[in-house]
Amino acid sequence: QVQLVESGGGLVEAGGSLRLSCAASGSIFRFYSMAWYRQAPGKQRELVAIIINGGSTNYADSVKGRFTISRDSAKNTVDLQMNSLKPEDTAVYYCQTTIDTESVYKSIYWGQGTQVTVSS
């Protein structure tokens, strides 16, 4: 059983910062990637940032220069530092990982989500 537990969401004023954290636990044999997605009310879930095993990163255009994804391989955690937050960043943020477990190759797991609200 693999679990992803997110923390760090909350309410912040526009221009402020938040840091989201996600901890992965369970029978994980190999990480391929860890990512943050978000879903705003009435919108589809979208990729915010992803870090690939090896360290390469990719960001949605809307967050480039403001958000930074980082991973601690020893702790199996991934963080999302969000600066210069805008009201349009308001959403539920989900952690996602693609991994090998003891029985499944390249399986995808999701966290439960954490709410980020940016007031104008």
Side-chain angles (χ1 to χ4, degrees):
Q1 184 75 9
V2 175
Q3 283 191 318
L4 298 180
V5 179
E6 300 123 333
S7 60
L11 173 64
V12 65
E13 292 185 349
S17 298
L18 282 175
R19 189 176 184 89
L20 305 182
S21 294
C22 173
S25 62
S27 300
I28 300 168
F29 282 6
R30 180 180 179 179
F31 280 96
Y32 291 94
S33 65
M34 296 191 81
W36 287 94
Y37 284 73
R38 67 186 180 187
Q39 187 166 19
K43 294 188 176 181
Q44 288 188 329
R45 191 171 296 188
E46 63 174 355
L47 176 66
V48 176
I50 187 168
I51 185 164
I52 308 297
N53 197 24
S56 62
T57 59
N58 197 18
Y59 297 89
D61 288 343
S62 60
V63 307
K64 282 181 181 176
R66 300 188 297 122
F67 290 12
T68 302
I69 190 170
S70 60
R71 183 187 160 199
D72 187 328
S73 301
K75 298 180 179 179
N76 286 345
T77 59
V78 62
D79 291 350
L80 185 69
Q81 177 65 43
M82 305 185 294
N83 298 327
S84 303
L85 282 160
K86 305 176 181 179
E88 50 264 44
D89 294 318
T90 295
V92 177
Y93 284 69
Y94 297 91
C95 178
Q96 184 233 52
T97 188
T98 303
I99 59 172
D100 287 342
T101 68
E102 60 184 4
S103 58
V104 183
Y105 172 69
K106 278 195 172 178
S107 53
I108 295 174
Y109 291 85
W110 293 89
Q112 79 284 358
T114 185
Q115 177 70 46
V116 171
T117 303
V118 184
S119 62
S120 56

